[in-house]
Amino acid sequence: MLVACLVAGCHGGGDAPPPNPNTAGQQFIVTPPNVAFAAASTGVGTPPARTVMATVTGPTGGTLFARLVVTGDAVDVANSFVDILGPTQARITIRPVSPAGLAAGSSHTSVITLIACNTDPSCSGPQIGGSPATINVAYTVGPLTTPPVPPAPPVPPQTLAPSVGAASVAGDVVLRGSGFTPVTAVTFGGTPAADFTVMSDTEIRATYPALAAGTLNIGLNGGAVPFGPPLTLVAKGTLAAATLAYPTPPQNMRGLAFEPVTQTLFVGAGFSTPTNNQVVSYTFAAGSWQLTQAPMVSNLRNLALSLDRSRLLAITDTSIIELDPATLIAQPATLAPNVTTTTPDAFLKGIVATNDGQAFITSSSPTATAIGQHWLYDIAARSITGPFNSYAFPETGGPDNGTRALIVQGGGLLPVQQYSAFTGSVGPIIPTSFSLAHFHPVATRVENINLPAFDRNGSRMLVASFNGGTIHAVYDANFDVLGRVPSNDLVGGIPVSTAAYAISPDATRAYILQIGAGVCRVRAFDLVTPPGPSVQYQELTITGFPINLSPNCPAADFTTPSRMLLDPTGNTLFIAGERLIRIVTPLP
């Protein structure tokens, strides 16, 4: 199996095609997916028709065909239709029924299913990826018996991201909230910001100067504009190197997170019997690392800290469970509606906390023809909505400032999708496309070890993709390729492969874990000067690099699961595999 994995490159979900393989990486997207109509009374005219656009992304696949299937009583089926505008675009005209035939004070709905293909007008053959797409239609006819009271607009949650930084180092943060328009002064612990920009009434982007370690309250106009979340700066050099053992050696990695204020490392451990999965925590106190808790979280899939670090968000196959980071005591689970019926054997898989008070979550399936979805978990309300959109074997990652979450897909060259915390919308990043490199440590349970890695502000991204071979490329904030780090190499004639990777918080370095027969090492690369899209970054050859981790290598092989993570100071590297956890500090 190892030989087969090396030859195939372990890409695209084990060489599985994306949904509807005959579409060659195309994706069918409708915008907007929700449409509403309203008539003041039964005696007024029919509301005007609405238009929805459908776009095919990816390579052109020939003639576009599309047909509508309408259910519900809100839509005039005879006068609603689809126009094909070209091989990649269609326009859907939706006309509501006349209010004359409806009861006053009533509400009506319809669902329009849009089936798209490149085969024939009836779409009897393979459909385009993302097809069928749905459009939800709502229609109300007044006057209502009880006039509705308009809901108060939601108050944006106050967030600061990142909420932790390095002492004695300037840094950038994003403030989210409301009432920011009159702000003319920003301070951190009484010290004026080095720079700030009021982007809108709900967003401020600020740079704090180099300040001493501690918790710093943020003042807006001297406190006249309320803002609660503080900034915490931590000093480097307070942690110790260590080799940590698991209570029970796991089979899979189920997430890695570090809480720098309490100096606690959280490791998600997966086992051959998923109901025995655990969240294991190690806290650095009194000069050493201590195993503190290891509660079982049945069917644990992944985990992430909320941006204020008050909650550890664990996702299982079908639910989100909030754990107290100090005690790992679980709150009642929040079920993800329809997860188990969306696709065969579907499960939640990836999670990223964003600075709009949400956690962005992806789901997937082990079957080659099934699709993945994304979901939104409102942390304050403890509620989940979705599913939205469809993807092929998706995985997600995002920067510590919580501005966005990236969705990369496997199985073929598919557009990278981006969730924006400022707009709440998801859309493809054209023309950036990936075939995400996948590994499968457990049969029938799709695992994506190669998550997108970011610096704290999202100015650099590193991810493993497949395009005739595995490529570890570094991208900028606009997703232009800047350069590469090695995917494979030779050490004394021994083949080694990159098993995990990370980017320093300040975006100046990339770290890779390379594993081969008798070889286990960490290499570092200087990201300051981009060499070019297909050129390798300059390796750091200062004393101490490469870092030899043998004989206590965290993972048995590059195909087995391992994760890497840096603390906010960039001085400590956490490496967790199925064998051991290595804490490397101070970094050279």
Side-chain angles (χ1 to χ4, degrees), residues 1-20:
M1 292 182 66
L2 175 59
V3 172
C5 186
L6 288 170
V7 172
C10 297
H11 67 285
D15 288 324
N20 308 318

Side-chain angles (χ1 to χ4, degrees), residues 217-483:
N217 292 325
I218 298 176
L220 304 181
N221 287 2
V225 177
F227 189 77
L231 172 69
T232 302
L233 300 181
V234 295
K236 70 177 182 179
T238 62
L239 302 174
T243 299
L244 305 179
Y246 294 101
T248 302
Q251 186 180 50
N252 303 298
M253 294 305 304
R254 294 298 188 206
L256 185 64
F258 179 62
E259 212 291 62
V261 177
T262 62
Q263 298 185 323
T264 301
L265 181 68
F266 302 99
V267 185
F271 299 95
S272 57
T273 303
T275 52
N276 294 333
N277 290 356
Q278 293 176 306
V279 175
V280 186
S281 67
Y282 302 84
T283 298
F284 185 72
S288 65
W289 291 91
Q290 306 292 332
L291 173 65
T292 49
Q293 290 99 18
M296 283 196 301
V297 179
S298 181
N299 295 305
L300 174 71
R301 278 284 174 180
N302 214 328
L303 54 83
L305 275 170
S306 61
L307 293 184
D308 63 0
R309 310 177 317 281
S310 67
R311 313 184 198 191
L312 185 64
L313 307 173
I315 55 174
T316 72
D317 283 356
T318 58
S319 63
I320 298 94
I321 299 176
E322 292 187 4
L323 304 173
D324 183 319
T327 64
L328 292 187
I329 294 176
Q331 300 297 316
T334 299
L335 293 180
N338 302 324
V339 172
T340 56
T341 59
T342 303
T343 57
D345 193 22
F347 46 81
L348 302 180
K349 183 173 59 174
I351 180 168
V352 173
T354 51
N355 66 20
D356 56 353
Q358 307 277 357
F360 184 88
I361 297 170
T362 54
S363 64
S364 193
S365 169
T367 61
T369 58
I371 59 175
Q373 313 278 350
H374 80 255
W375 311 71
L376 289 173
Y377 178 68
D378 187 313
I379 297 175
R382 301 186 69 245
S383 62
I384 188 168
T385 55
F388 306 101
N389 297 356
S390 58
Y391 312 98
F393 303 108
E395 190 50 89
T396 188
D400 288 344
N401 67 5
T403 54
R404 61 186 184 273
L406 266 291
I407 310 103
V408 290
Q409 304 179 70
L413 290 177
L414 297 171
V416 173
Q417 305 277 336
Q418 175 175 265
Y419 171 77
S420 170
F422 301 113
T423 65
S425 62
V426 174
I429 301 169
I430 305 298
T432 306
S433 296
F434 282 104
S435 177
L436 181 67
H438 289 248
F439 302 135
H440 287 213
V442 179
T444 76
R445 291 176 70 84
V446 177
E447 307 298 333
N448 296 339
I449 304 169
N450 295 309
L451 313 182
F454 292 83
D455 68 297
R456 61 178 270 142
N457 293 329
S459 65
R460 295 292 183 269
M461 179 184 78
L462 173 58
V463 66
S465 61
F466 189 90
N467 188 8
T470 301
I471 298 168
H472 288 73
V474 177
Y475 298 78
D476 65 12
N478 297 317
F479 306 99
D480 293 323
V481 184
L482 301 178

Side-chain angles (χ1 to χ4, degrees), residues 88-185:
T88 62
Q89 197 169 52
R91 180 177 58 226
I92 303 96
T93 300
I94 305 172
R95 195 177 302 278
V97 298
S98 170
L102 301 175
S106 59
S107 299
H108 307 268
T109 60
S110 285
V111 176
I112 299 175
T113 302
L114 188 62
I115 301 169
C117 64
N118 296 132
T119 56
D120 60 275
S122 63
C123 287
S124 58
Q127 299 175 36
I128 294 172
S131 172
T134 57
I135 305 167
N136 300 305
V137 181
Y139 187 13
T140 59
V141 179
L144 299 177
T145 304
T146 303
V149 177
V155 177
Q158 287 191 340
T159 62
L160 175 73
S163 60
V164 179
S168 305
V169 178
D172 299 324
V173 290
V174 179
L175 289 71
R176 297 294 301 277
S178 59
F180 292 163
T181 303
V183 171
T184 56

Side-chain angles (χ1 to χ4, degrees), residues 30-125:
V30 296
T31 305
N34 301 298
V35 175
F37 298 96
S41 68
T42 58
V44 300
T46 302
R50 294 285 303 277
T51 298
V52 171
M53 299 301 296
T55 303
V56 179
T57 63
T60 303
T63 303
L64 175 63
F65 298 98
R67 63 185 180 90
L68 301 179
V69 176
V70 182
T71 60
D73 60 350
V75 172
D76 182 349
V77 178
N79 292 300
S80 298
F81 51 88
V82 57
D83 288 320
I84 305 299
L85 305 181
T88 62
Q89 197 169 52
R91 180 177 58 226
I92 303 96
T93 300
I94 305 172
R95 195 177 302 278
V97 298
S98 170
L102 301 175
S106 59
S107 299
H108 307 268
T109 60
S110 285
V111 176
I112 299 175
T113 302
L114 188 62
I115 301 169
C117 64
N118 296 132
T119 56
D120 60 275
S122 63
C123 287
S124 58

